[in-house]
Amino acid sequence: MSQFQIHSILTANATAKPLLEGSLKKYGFVPNLHGGLAEAPAALTAYIELTALFDQTSFSPTERQVILLAVSVENHCTYCVAAHSMIAKHMAKADRAIVEALRNGKPLPDSKLEALAGFTRSVVKNRGVVCGQTLDKFITAGYSRAQVLEVLLGVAFKTLSNYTNHIIHAPLDTAFQAEAWEEPAQCSSRQCA
């Protein structure tokens, strides 16, 4: 049971209301993640601004979704995996085989995207301490040093929402239900501290 309220435009405080109104305008509904973040308007503002900044990176829409899904799967965030699976397939027009491989922890059918996903997973797993071989593989695949830092931006942005969902237990929005995700059995042995 969550101790957090998922705010609507009506229940949000005066600072969060216009932010949620912006979410409604952008998505056609207020995602429960945004409603949960509205408890702390500075956190919701950071999430919205990081989203906009990440959208300005040199990555294609599909590459951005590969990063966000790789982070979300690695962080075991059922909400974000579902949301980004839907966004990847329907907004970014990513190949469904790529999305399914990411969701299931399988190699991607595209070697460059596999290098991107592998590098991203390594950043998350190793808390940013990435070995030279992993970095070399990323660069050799055709990515730049600037894109190394852009991956870090994606990891920071998505970690904020993954961790928020772990704590507030945002219910999955109806819009994302078709992509509901359960973490693979080998990952579900996490303990609550």
Side-chain angles (χ1 to χ4, degrees):
M1 175 99 182
S2 178
Q3 297 178 17
F4 289 84
Q5 179 177 352
I6 305 300
H7 289 280
S8 68
I9 293 170
L10 296 175
T11 64
N13 70 37
T15 305
K17 276 185 195 304
L19 300 171
L20 294 181
E21 288 167 350
S23 296
L24 176 62
K25 184 176 178 181
K26 181 175 181 177
Y27 301 106
F29 67 102
V30 176
N32 287 329
L33 169 64
H34 297 204
L37 283 165
E39 185 72 28
L44 179 55
T45 299
Y47 180 80
I48 291 167
E49 290 178 3
L50 286 170
T51 302
L53 290 170
F54 188 61
D55 285 347
Q56 295 173 30
T57 64
S58 62
F59 292 115
S60 71
T62 294
E63 289 171 321
R64 289 194 302 269
Q65 292 307 312
V66 166
I67 293 165
L68 300 177
L69 275 165
V71 173
S72 297
V73 169
E74 194 61 39
N75 281 331
H76 313 286
C77 183
T78 56
Y79 181 98
C80 290
V81 172
H84 287 286
S85 294
M86 183 67 70
I87 293 166
K89 289 177 181 177
H90 299 283
M91 295 173 74
K93 305 295 184 202
D95 184 322
R96 290 178 184 273
I98 290 168
V99 176
E100 291 309 313
L102 286 161
R103 288 169 58 97
N104 295 308
K106 305 290 184 197
L108 277 62
D110 177 292
S111 61
K112 187 173 182 183
L113 292 178
E114 175 60 24
L116 176 59
F119 179 74
T120 303
R121 284 191 289 267
S122 183
V123 168
V124 175
K125 279 183 198 175
N126 299 304
R127 296 183 179 116
V129 182
V130 178
C131 72
Q133 183 180 8
T134 303
L135 183 56
D136 291 345
K137 187 174 181 180
F138 180 73
I139 299 294
T140 301
Y143 292 106
S144 69
R145 290 185 307 276
Q147 288 175 313
V148 168
L149 301 176
E150 290 177 342
V151 167
L152 297 181
L153 173 59
V155 170
F157 147 54
K158 196 46 28 197
T159 300
L160 172 61
S161 64
N162 293 167
Y163 287 10
T164 297
N165 281 305
H166 292 327
I167 292 170
I168 70 169
H169 304 286
L172 189 59
D173 301 281
T174 303
F176 308 134
Q177 286 291 332
E179 297 295 337
W181 178 79
E182 289 186 29
E183 60 187 325
Q186 70 267 21
C187 299
S188 62
S189 62
R190 292 178 293 131
Q191 298 288 324
C192 182

